[in-house]
Each structure stands twice: as C-alpha cells, then as structure tokens.
Amino acid sequence: MPKLIVDGREVEVPAGATVMQACEMAGREIPRFCYHERLSIAGNCRMCLVEIEKSPKPVASCAMPAADGMVVHTMSEKTRRAREGVMEFLLINHPLDCPICDQGGECDLQDQALAYGRGTSRFEENKRAVAEKYMGPLIKTVMTRCIHCTRCVRFAEEVAGVEEIGALFRGENMQITSYLERAVASEISGNVIDLCPVGALTAKPYAFEARPWELRRTDGIDVMDAVGSNIVVGHRSGAVMRISPRLNDDVNEEWLADRSRFAADGLRERRLDRPWVRVAGRLQPASWAEAFAAIARAVAGVGKDRIAALAGPLAAVEEMVALKDLMTGLGSGRLECRLDGSAVAAPRAHYLFNTTLAGLETADLILLVGTNPRFDAPLVNTRIRKAVRGGRARLFNIGPAADLTVPVTELGDDLGLLADLPAALAGALGAAARPAMLVGSRNATAPVLEAAHAVADRFGLVRDGWNGFNILHDAASRVGALDIGFVHGGHLAGLFADPPAVLFLLGVDDLDLAPLAPAFRIYLGTHGDAGARAADVILPAAAYTEKPGTWVNMEGRVQRALRAVFPPGDAREDWTILRALADVLGIRLPYDTLDELRRRIASEWPHLGRDGLEPAEWAPFQGEGAGPPAGPARRPATSHYLVNPICRASPTMHACVREIEEGAGPALLEAAE
C-alpha cells in the first residue's frame, strides 16, 4: 500500500487509489467539478490541481494514481494560483446569471468561485452563447451555463444505460445535448439535476418555484416502489415543493427514480380533504360524526365473517396494524395485502429480497422471472447494471422481452420454462458461485413459487454466506403487511369467491372492485381516484409526506419517515381515523398516541421496533402441489409513471407518458397545452 506525504502528514492508501483520495484521507478538501465518486474519471475541469514535488506543473489529482513516496501540497502558493487560473477560465463564458438561476444557493460553481476564485475578471470579450436544448418535461436546460464537466454524459452512459446525452463539436464550440433533442427516455434521468455542478440542468417542474434557503427539509422514505429510497422532502408554507434523494449506500446510494422525484406535484392535486357519504347513490360531503355513524349502521348486525379489509400499496405499518386490530375487535380475520394476486407468504425469508440491494452487485448470475426491474424498481436495475457491466454477472430473463440497458439472454415469455429449464440456463446455474433469482411479485403465484423454490434447491441458491432467492415487490407496503400477518388463507381469489358485506379499503385504488359491488365499501385514502369513486364512505387520510410512518422495503429493512407537512383540510393520519372509528364501533384499541402504537407493534413484532435490516432465517418451502406454471407472465396494468393515485394526479407524470411513452414531441405538447 503506497504511503504519501500530504501537507506534511503521512497517509497510507489502498493500491489503486488516486492522489485526490489520498488527500481526502489526510483530511484535505479538494475542489472538483467533473469528478464524482460513482462515475468514471474524466479529468475535464482541472479544478482539483495540486502540487506534487518533482512534478514540473500542477497535477489533476482525480486522475493521478497515488504512488509511494509522493509529497503533495494542497495549499501551496503554486496550487492556489493554479486553481485561480482554472476558475478564471471556467467563468470566461459563464453568464453569471445567479439571481435568476434555480441552482443559486446550491451551486458548486458559486461555492468554489468564492473559495478559490480571483474575485475579479480580466476577460473583456463577448461571452459565448449556446442555444437551449430540449431534454423533455423533467429537465430544464440553460446550456450557456455548462462548463463541460460531462457528469450528465457519464451518468447517462454508465448508470442509466441510456446513451442519449453527449457532446457535439470541439473546443469552445462544444455543446452538451440530447442528440435528437427529444425527451431523455430514462426512468432515472432526473439524477443529472443533482449531478450538474452549475445551473445548466435544473428541474423543469420546480423552475422558479422557490429558493433553496426558503425550504425546510424533512427526512422521508419514498413509497413509489418497494426499494424504500431515502429522500429529503423540501417544503414551504405547508406545501411540498420538491423531493430529492438522501444518501444511503445500502438502499438507493444517492439516486432517485423519476416518479419518486417528480410526482410530488400530485400531492397537491385531486386531494380528499373532507369525509363523504353516499346518499341515494350519490356521494355527499359529511362530517366525521356522520361518516362514522354510516359505518356503524353498515357494520351493525353483519356477521364477523362478512367483514373484510384490504391494504393498498402506499400504507405504512402503523395504519395497517390499527386496521388489523380493528378487524380483530370486529371478530374478522379476512385481511389481504397481496392485491397483485401473488401467493407469497411466511416464513419471512420466502417473501424478502434476501440477496439485499447492495449484495446483488456481487452476484455472478441473475435470473429474472416475470419482472422488468427497470420499471418495477429502477434502482434495482442500477444494481443489476453494476453486476453485469463489471463483467461478473450473466443476466437471463424469463418473461416479456425488455430493454434492461444491459446484455440479457432472453429465454422466452413462458413461465413454464421455470419448471423445464433450458440447457444453457441450467448449465450456467450449475457453474455459478453466487446465483440470484428475482421473481416479480405480480407473477409469484403458487405454481411459480413452487417451481422457483425447486430451482433454488436444485442449484443451491441458498448456501453458506449467500441467499440468492428474491421476491421483487413493487408495493411499498407489501413486506410490512406480510410481516404483521395482514393476509388470509385463499389469497385474493378467496375474497372474490365469497364477497363480504362490509369492505375496508386502505388506499386501494388499483383493484377492480366491480365483483364486490354489493359490499358496503369504506375507503381511507388521499386522492379522488378509483377507490374513492367506488366507495360508500370516504375517510380522507394523510399522504406519505404528511405523517410519521414506518415502511419496510423489499429486503426487509425497517425505515421511518418524519412528517414534512400537515394533511389538507379535515384529512387526518390513517391510524388516528381508525382509532376514533373503533370507539364509535365499541372497540377499545390499546393506544392513544403514536409512541403507544409503536410500542404495541414492537411488542408483537420486535424487528419492527428497530431500524435497519435483520436477515431472515431460511426454511424449507412447503408446496401445495399447485402443479407446474404455464403461460406468459402477467404484465403491469398501467404505465410505470401512473402506478398509484399520487402519480395519476401528477401533471408531470402525465406529461412523461405523453412524450416518453406515446412519442409526442415538444411541439405536440405545446399545442395540447
């Protein structure tokens, strides 16, 4: 391991480390624009110059390998003057329009110009101007500000796998653009906004809405998929203005899917802010007392086996426990959370993403069964890309052919292949040291699960130090609901076979409720979506940014979010609604505060009282003799931009559907508007 002297301090670094990394290990901050820890080294900006003894000129520390015996000076006069010169060149053509730039207050160029710049300019010529580029409904461009760091280009190529951003021309005429000036067709394109060190790429929906110093920031958990991405909710005056990623190397690293970032405007649209009761076939506004009274009348005299409850994809653990306790008080055990028709069930390891998100990067073979992770869980696909691009993993797919942005061996869209493996796949599984199988939740039926477990047993997917059996969920609430036992025998089909007389719907908007039309339906939710339209009583609830809550991601990681803003109007937190309703129904729930509810949860499910990931113990699979799977995999019922009521209420998500999926160009969009 090389040993260097950095500003008089000796530091030992791993072989292959750069001088910049050595300086940071020595506690020295090195300015940079083009360098990023998760991207390849470009060495474009030269802002990271340092002085190395015996070198004739300052050296770009990001691209220089650390060598034994180097003596580095990061604060010498030579280094200072070199950085001043680089900054002066960077600002030659920069428009300096900070007062109208959305990056103002969060701009690396601002910060480093203050810390390392000259303070005056000697440039007297006309500045260069670059025509604006069009990158779609999410990314706003002002390319005159661009300093050609190429972070966006490298992200698009290396992380997103969509090579639609690049550089044209050379020298001073160089321009960064999407080549055809169409929307960037990536489900994680918004991350270039965070990567851009200047104001060249900013968030189009957020443009001119607020300044960074006007926002309050609250830590939250994303619920648009089951990854459990860590987010920061930026809010002002009781409204969510933007959502950005929060660093967590084990979960989302520092990335965020586009629907998680840009669907925030749906939190303000089509909101339920008062109770409603159906009278003579029409929904009428009501008070809380009137809504509760209507529910009490519906429940009175109904047999306990005639009451059921469903939990939707966005529910937190707290409200699902409260609803389960209410159903227990009513004497009913008819609960269901597997609204996609899956048959996953206990033990816990049989429905988790056991490999873990970070662990998936170390797999040497990945088999997809009935899932498209690029859209079901975009940040799982970035992990798959790391494994495949690193040359370690081979990727196989049983299901519809899909562009996963990496080479994939398509085996066919017949789930029966899982029971009768092609020879190429069987041979690869037999030779793999760390094989992983990802079964999509919507296709995890009993026959598929039996066949998948048979493959796992035959090829040793579960072995010492490795568990390659994974269920890829797409609902944020699913693992938490399975943990608390929000399931009933017979799965979802049993509910339709014996329809209930009273049905509680906890944020259920993506299920065809027509077969349950005779039931009295009570809907707790946030938006005027399908569940509200079918309901007899609507109880307005809080969205995920409007309540403290616990969510368990697909790998079983327990994470907690804080309340950023309060819900609109008369809407309340879900568990408090259920607690108040229980009193009206004559049922005493043993908690009055959130802390008491969480203590009750921890007493029955101790792992839910602790943050973090606790691996589940593997157990043999007990099949039900369902027979081999057959037929094509089930596909999503809707666009991945419109997966829940918040997304469907978002004008930005609808713009993405029109342009990215339906192919409408900017001219057609402007005409439509």
Side-chain angles (χ1 to χ4, degrees):
M1 296 175 66
K3 292 184 179 180
L4 298 81
I5 304 296
V6 178
D7 291 341
R9 177 181 175 183
E10 184 178 77
V11 58
E12 187 175 9
V13 299
T18 64
V19 171
M20 175 184 284
Q21 292 169 326
C23 293
E24 292 182 338
M25 291 180 67
R28 294 301 187 190
E29 179 182 353
I30 305 297
R32 81 289 298 267
F33 290 115
C34 68
Y35 176 80
H36 191 276
E37 293 83 354
R38 303 187 194 278
L39 303 176
S40 61
I41 295 172
N44 294 335
C45 72
R46 320 307 286 182
M47 193 64 206
C48 63
L49 293 176
V50 297
E51 180 184 357
I52 299 179
E53 291 187 3
K54 299 182 182 180
S55 174
K57 59 183 180 180
V59 172
S61 61
C62 71
M64 173 62 70
D68 196 57
M70 275 185 174
V71 179
V72 182
H73 301 284
T74 68
M75 304 176 68
S76 66
E77 180 63 16
K78 186 176 183 179
T79 301
R80 184 188 68 81
R81 290 176 61 85
R83 290 172 180 169
E84 281 186 353
V86 170
M87 182 61 69
E88 191 172 12
F89 276 115
L90 288 174
L91 293 177
I92 278 179
N93 286 310
H94 198 76
L96 304 179
D97 51 3
C98 301
I100 62 167
C101 178
D102 280 312
Q103 199 84 331
E106 297 176 319
C107 177
D108 292 348
L109 188 63
Q110 276 184 337
D111 297 340
Q112 295 186 38
L114 178 65
Y116 303 102
R118 286 173 53 90
T120 59
S121 174
R122 296 175 289 177
F123 188 70
E124 297 179 353
E125 306 297 325
N126 292 327
K127 288 180 178 285
R128 180 194 66 160
V130 179
E132 307 305 350
K133 310 302 179 185
Y134 188 80
M135 292 191 181
L138 305 179
I139 304 170
K140 180 178 184 292
T141 65
V142 184
M143 301 313 293
T144 300
R145 301 171 185 162
C146 178
I147 62 171
H148 303 159
C149 71
T150 69
R151 281 186 178 182
C152 56
V153 177
R154 285 174 283 147
F155 174 83
E157 178 182 352
E158 298 167 13
V159 180
V162 178
E163 299 180 11
E164 296 186 6
I165 302 177
L168 300 178
F169 315 121
R170 301 178 67 185
E172 190 180 51
N173 295 320
M174 179 177 171
Q175 298 180 22
I176 303 296
T177 180
S178 58
Y179 296 114
L180 301 178
E181 295 204 30
R182 300 286 296 237
V184 178
S186 169
E187 62 289 347
I188 56 174
S189 65
N191 292 288
V192 300
I193 295 165
D194 299 327
L195 288 172
C196 184
V198 295
L201 304 176
T202 55
K204 184 174 286 187
Y206 175 68
F208 309 120
E209 292 291 330
R211 290 296 194 180
W213 55 84
E214 297 176 322
L215 301 181
R216 298 183 63 185
R217 294 170 173 80
T218 303
D219 290 349
I221 301 298
D222 173 56
V223 299
M224 298 297 154
D225 54 34
V227 171
S229 299
N230 289 211
I231 59 174
V232 176
V233 181
H235 51 100
R236 183 187 67 181
S237 302
V240 174
M241 307 301 293
R242 69 173 181 180
I243 290 175
S244 52
R246 179 161 49 96
L247 178 65
N248 188 326
D249 286 331
D250 294 326
V251 182
N252 58 302
E253 299 178 290
E254 58 189 86
W255 314 129
L256 195 59
D258 285 349
R259 66 186 177 201
S260 303
R261 183 190 299 266
F262 293 108
D265 55 352
L267 293 167
R268 301 190 293 269
E269 305 289 337
R270 297 165 52 184
R271 287 302 301 272
L272 298 173
D273 58 2
R274 67 176 70 177
W276 295 75
V277 174
R278 192 175 297 275
V279 179
R282 295 180 63 86
L283 286 168
Q284 303 290 341
S287 66
W288 281 104
E290 291 169 339
F292 286 170
I295 296 172
R297 290 193 297 270
V299 171
V302 174
K304 62 183 181 180
D305 59 338
R306 304 290 293 158
I307 303 174
L310 302 178
L314 308 183
V317 170
E318 286 83 358
E319 53 249 33
M320 290 190 289
V321 169
L323 181 54
K324 183 179 181 182
D325 289 346
L326 174 62
M327 294 294 290
T328 300
L330 292 171
S332 174
R334 299 188 69 183
L335 311 169
E336 190 54 76
C337 66
R338 300 164 295 183
L339 305 187
D340 55 8
S342 71
V344 292
R348 193 168 189 251
H350 287 182
Y351 58 77
L352 291 185
F353 199 92
N354 295 287
T355 301
T356 73
L357 298 171
L360 187 61
E361 297 178 14
T362 67
D364 58 359
L365 181 145
I366 300 173
L367 170 62
L368 305 178
V369 180
T371 182
N372 182 346
R374 182 176 174 187
F375 300 126
D376 293 342
L379 298 184
V380 171
N381 202 56
T382 63
R383 304 282 189 173
I384 293 174
R385 278 187 54 79
K386 279 189 182 183
V388 175
R389 290 186 75 246
R392 295 182 304 273
R394 296 179 62 189
L395 182 61
F396 295 84
N397 180 37
I398 296 177
D403 178 10
L404 298 174
T405 72
V406 286
V408 55
T409 302
E410 298 286 355
L411 300 176
D413 187 13
D414 182 0
L415 294 176
L417 292 169
L418 196 59
D420 185 14
L421 294 181
L425 175 59
L429 281 169
R434 298 170 73 86
M437 176 167 51
L438 281 59
V439 181
S441 177
R442 80 176 69 91
N443 285 292
T445 59
V448 169
L449 287 175
E450 290 196 16
H453 279 276
V455 170
D457 292 340
R458 176 182 170 188
F459 295 100
L461 266 65
V462 181
R463 57 187 73 171
D464 289 343
W466 179 256
N467 189 332
F469 185 87
N470 305 287
I471 301 296
L472 195 152
H473 296 281
D474 54 12
S477 67
R478 188 67 47 77
V479 173
L482 291 167
D483 278 353
I484 67 170
F486 206 99
V487 293
H488 185 60
H491 317 306
L492 192 63
L495 186 71
F496 288 95
D498 182 19
V502 176
L503 180 62
F504 288 86
L505 303 169
L506 182 58
V508 177
D509 291 277
D510 299 286
L511 185 66
D512 182 10
L513 298 173
L516 305 176
F520 185 90
R521 289 162 288 191
I522 302 129
Y523 175 78
L524 284 81
T526 59
H527 287 71
D529 207 276
R533 292 193 294 271
D536 295 292
V537 174
I538 298 174
L539 305 178
Y544 70 106
T545 57
E546 299 161 0
K547 60 189 175 187
T550 302
W551 279 272
V552 187
N553 77 346
M554 66 172 70
E555 57 183 352
R557 187 181 303 274
V558 179
Q559 303 183 108
R560 303 187 196 279
L562 304 176
R563 176 196 290 119
V565 297
F566 287 92
D570 288 335
R572 297 291 183 268
E573 294 178 33
D574 309 61
W575 77 266
T576 63
I577 296 172
L578 295 165
R579 169 68 183 77
L581 176 60
D583 280 348
V584 174
L585 298 179
I587 300 168
R588 173 64 182 148
L589 299 185
Y591 35 80
D592 297 313
T593 66
L594 180 63
D595 286 342
E596 292 176 353
L597 172 55
R598 285 181 169 171
R599 284 197 293 271
R600 177 264 182 277
I601 294 172
S603 67
E604 186 167 349
W605 303 282
H607 72 282
L608 295 178
R610 299 184 291 268
D611 292 352
L613 178 63
E614 295 186 18
E617 184 176 349
W618 186 255
F621 179 75
Q622 302 296 327
E624 301 175 358
R634 287 187 287 186
R635 292 166 170 79
T638 185
S639 162
H640 79 280
Y641 288 113
L642 305 175
V643 295
N644 58 51
I646 298 174
C647 291
R648 288 191 286 271
S650 166
T652 302
M653 292 294 98
H654 284 280
C656 290
V657 171
R658 291 196 301 271
E659 183 164 0
I660 298 174
E661 295 188 346
E662 298 177 0
L668 292 177
L669 289 178
E670 290 174 3
E673 293 172 358

